[in-house]
Amino acid sequence: MYYGNIKTYDIADGPGVRVSLFVSGCRHHCKGWFNAETWNFDYGQPYIQETEDVLIKSLAPDYIQGLSVLGGEPFEPENQPEVARLMKRVKETYPNKDIWCYSGYTLEELQGESRAHCECTEEMLSLLEVLVDGEFVEEKKDISLAFRGSANQRILRMKER
């Protein structure tokens, strides 16, 4: 897996101050998406053990509320093994930190028969507090929406399901 960016102080991709990982690779190719370079699975830097260690260390301060995973597409099957491992380590290390994940796939697609569903999907979903789902639709872009880019996207609280 590759990643395009890590933000160790992010206030745009979930509540509070967060650490955000932008993975590379996405097949949605949403028109008007703000970081289209992350569609390429080889964009950015290789995600290696040292990368994960940096993320875990960055989550340590008490003022960090949690981790956000975006892209690209975290739920592309090629990305899921590494993302699932990271999420599991975050939960083991910081059980009180929350995890948000942004996906162009809907929850229904992730839970059913889709190109995204693989052996890691259910584990990833079980580790999330929040899934922001649905493709970005430029015609439904709304900058007044909190934590999402277009009106069709949903903020799903997974622990309440």
Side-chain angles (χ1 to χ4, degrees):
M1 182 175 86
Y2 280 71
Y3 69 97
N5 195 11
I6 292 173
K7 293 183 180 179
T8 57
Y9 191 90
D10 186 0
I11 58 170
D13 298 309
V17 181
R18 313 186 65 73
V19 173
S20 294
L21 170 66
F22 292 79
V23 302
S24 295
C26 182
R27 293 184 176 90
H28 298 293
H29 296 195
C30 300
K31 178 183 167 191
W33 185 241
F34 76 99
N35 59 350
E37 63 275 3
T38 63
W39 295 346
N40 182 336
F41 282 86
D42 297 323
Y43 174 76
Q45 302 295 314
Y47 183 90
I48 57 176
Q49 186 63 49
E50 288 79 13
T51 310
E52 187 172 297
D53 293 343
V54 165
L55 288 164
I56 295 298
K57 184 177 179 181
S58 297
L59 286 160
D62 289 340
Y63 65 84
I64 298 292
Q65 183 167 332
L67 173 71
S68 292
V69 185
L70 313 92
E73 174 58 67
F75 278 96
E76 291 293 6
E78 296 90 335
N79 293 336
Q80 287 190 46
E82 293 294 340
V83 174
R85 191 180 80 190
L86 170 63
M87 289 178 173
K88 187 174 179 184
R89 187 171 171 200
V90 168
K91 286 298 180 186
E92 290 169 352
T93 308
Y94 306 111
N96 295 323
K97 306 270 183 182
D98 64 14
I99 301 176
W100 281 47
C101 189
Y102 288 72
S103 178
Y105 295 103
T106 64
L107 177 60
E108 293 78 16
E109 289 172 319
L110 293 171
Q111 291 176 322
E113 296 287 326
S114 74
R115 69 181 184 212
H117 197 274
C118 70
E119 67 278 356
C120 300
T121 308
E122 293 302 323
E123 179 181 23
M124 283 177 61
L125 291 172
S126 75
L127 294 167
L128 295 177
E129 274 71 33
V130 172
L131 173 69
V132 180
D133 79 342
E135 291 187 13
F136 171 77
V137 177
E138 188 173 43
E139 294 77 17
K140 295 182 179 184
K141 181 178 179 179
D142 184 345
I143 61 170
S144 71
L145 297 171
F147 309 130
R148 54 199 168 125
S150 60
N152 62 296
Q153 295 173 310
R154 303 179 296 180
I155 298 174
L156 303 173
R157 306 210 184 282
M158 301 300 289
K159 298 299 183 191
E160 297 170 4
R161 296 186 174 275

